[in-house]
Amino acid sequence: MNRNQKISTTQTAIVVASTTFGVGVLSFPRSMAEAAGSGAPLMTLCGIAAALVPLWLIILLGLRFKGQSIFEYGQLIIGRWPAKAANLLLFLFFAVSSALSSRQFGDVLSTVVFRKTPIEVSIILILLTTAFSCRRDIVKFSFIHIFYFPFIFFPYLLLMLISLQRIDLLSLQPLLGNAPMKFNPGLFQAASLFLGSFIVTILIPYMKKPESALKSGTYGIFISGGLYILMVFSVLGIYGSEETKLLLYPTLELSRSISLGGGVLERFDAIFIIIWFVTVYTTLYSSYYLASFAFSKLFRFADQRLTSSFLLPVLLGISLLPQDVFRERNIVQSLEFSGLLFLTCYPLLLLIISLLRRKGGVTHE
């Protein structure tokens, strides 16, 4: 990779935003409604705040060990073999996360669009597309995100703004919900949507101004988090919390109900599905790239080009393991919970030990 090419602060923020706005778009409002009722927007806001903690930890570490990712400076802090064990867990998390994201993609296509097409076909296509994309270096990886970002952000923002005219504010009251919030599961589900922000660990060494990584990462979370809040606000404001709980894909139902010009333009669901395809691709791209990058560091390959191709059949096999959508949902929830804990505790442990041992910082010891 050519380290003479650098990524700007704005580009880093776009990559974080593009990565963290992904597969959960269709069903996220229902999850928040189940956890908090009419207090779903507030629960989403709390999840965004919680997601900033692991992001800031990984950025602080990246600033102490400039030019290195967590897969490299972890060995300097806690030793080679403990760090390799942690790197293996990171690889497994992002590999399984990529596989299950592709499975969720296939489930939606089989349910909504291609009802007679085998789910394996949809999964293979999205994995092939992502695997070939992962053969690019990190700078080109960021350029791909930047290219697709306008096709994700602006259409979603437009759809949500159009839906605001139909909102009934009574459906959003009381703000804290009608029943006690299921705070723990709701908070974890909301915060887990932003685990893809871990991508900054491999972006910081290529930034023009690494010291601005904290700002760019935070802006990226705020961009995607703002869209999530607006989405939850729109869905609950139109359908109410109880009806939202009954909808399999409430955001898709919202797009079907939108119309413009007195019914001249209506049924935006076809456009929405196309946008959602791109949204899934960018999120899956980052998790697949992280899995390939972690695997290459774990086994000392030159880069992730070879590993991205090697992982393709492995991820396909993992994606087909869940027998049905209910088991898949349980596995995803368990994976998100364990991933959020590990991606928070491991960087925190590294930061504490590096401070105690005076590793990193100015001297980069």
Side-chain angles (χ1 to χ4, degrees):
M1 299 180 192
N2 184 6
R3 294 218 175 198
N4 292 325
Q5 292 181 289
K6 296 294 182 179
I7 306 170
S8 69
T9 302
T10 302
Q11 290 171 334
T12 304
I14 289 175
V15 172
V16 173
S18 175
T19 298
T20 53
F21 194 74
V23 183
V25 166
L26 293 182
S27 59
F28 179 66
R30 173 174 50 79
S31 300
M32 291 297 96
E34 292 173 347
S38 59
L42 180 60
M43 179 66 74
T44 306
L45 184 61
C46 293
I48 294 171
L52 289 173
V53 176
L55 173 67
W56 288 344
L57 289 172
I58 199 67
I59 290 176
L60 290 175
L61 281 167
L63 295 179
R64 287 185 64 84
F65 298 89
K66 294 180 181 179
Q68 300 181 62
S69 69
I70 193 172
F71 306 103
E72 297 160 327
Y73 59 68
Q75 299 185 38
L76 298 176
I77 299 174
I78 59 175
R80 180 180 177 184
W81 292 109
K84 278 189 173 293
N87 290 346
L88 177 61
L89 292 177
L90 288 172
F91 160 70
L92 290 175
F93 170 76
F94 287 109
V96 176
S97 178
S98 301
L100 294 180
S101 293
S102 65
R103 173 60 182 269
Q104 289 176 298
F105 173 82
D107 285 336
V108 173
L109 287 191
S110 299
T111 304
V112 179
V113 185
F114 306 121
R115 298 183 180 180
K116 295 184 180 180
T117 302
I119 190 174
E120 293 84 358
V121 175
S122 301
I123 296 174
I124 290 173
L125 286 177
I126 189 66
L127 286 177
L128 274 173
T129 304
T130 311
F132 284 125
S133 301
C134 286
R135 298 181 65 84
R136 305 293 182 266
D137 62 34
I138 292 176
V139 175
K140 292 179 181 177
F141 161 83
S142 68
F143 288 163
I144 291 175
H145 276 279
I146 293 163
F147 174 80
Y148 284 112
F149 180 73
F151 300 102
I152 298 172
F153 179 78
F154 293 110
Y156 271 111
L157 182 61
L158 179 61
L159 289 173
M160 295 305 111
L161 291 178
I162 293 173
S163 68
L164 290 180
Q165 61 185 334
R166 299 179 50 215
I167 284 180
D168 183 359
L169 293 179
L170 290 177
S171 299
L172 296 165
Q173 299 177 16
L175 295 177
L176 297 178
N178 295 313
M181 290 187 182
K182 299 176 182 178
F183 200 80
N184 287 338
L187 184 65
F188 281 119
Q189 286 179 6
S192 63
L193 290 174
F194 303 93
L195 290 179
S197 61
F198 195 83
I199 194 71
V200 296
T201 190
I202 63 175
L203 295 179
I204 292 176
Y206 293 86
M207 289 184 67
K208 295 177 183 177
K209 298 179 180 179
E211 63 276 6
S212 64
L214 194 64
K215 179 173 66 175
S216 58
T218 303
Y219 283 167
I221 292 291
F222 283 168
I223 292 171
S224 58
L227 278 181
Y228 278 122
I229 291 177
L230 190 59
M231 182 187 306
V232 173
F233 187 83
S234 300
V235 171
L236 262 70
I238 293 175
Y239 296 111
S241 59
E242 294 305 317
E243 186 174 351
T244 300
K245 295 176 185 178
L246 303 176
L247 299 174
L248 181 61
Y249 302 123
T251 315
L252 180 59
E253 296 298 329
L254 177 65
S255 67
R256 287 173 175 166
S257 67
I258 293 175
S259 63
L260 281 176
V264 176
L265 295 174
E266 56 183 0
R267 295 275 310 203
F268 282 83
D269 51 313
I271 299 175
F272 182 86
I273 285 293
I274 295 172
I275 301 168
W276 181 77
F277 288 170
V278 181
T279 305
V280 173
Y281 166 72
T282 54
T283 301
L284 180 58
Y285 184 24
S286 290
S287 59
Y288 199 130
Y289 201 97
L290 276 169
S292 301
F293 189 89
F295 193 84
S296 65
K297 293 297 182 182
L298 197 61
F299 294 98
R300 297 185 178 182
F301 290 105
D303 55 36
Q304 78 292 336
R305 295 180 184 180
L306 176 63
T307 56
S308 64
S309 301
F310 172 78
L311 289 177
L312 179 59
V314 178
L315 298 189
L316 176 61
I318 296 174
S319 68
L320 297 176
L321 287 178
Q323 299 298 314
D324 52 58
V325 68
F326 301 104
R327 294 183 184 180
E328 173 198 329
R329 188 180 302 172
N330 291 333
I331 295 173
V332 169
Q333 290 178 350
S334 300
L335 180 69
E336 290 174 345
F337 176 78
S338 57
L340 184 61
L341 286 180
F342 182 68
L343 295 183
T344 302
C345 296
Y346 180 52
L348 178 60
L349 176 65
L350 291 182
L351 183 60
I352 293 174
I353 295 177
S354 68
L355 290 172
L356 292 175
R357 299 183 62 189
R358 297 183 181 180
K359 292 285 185 178
V362 178
T363 58
H364 305 294
E365 295 177 0

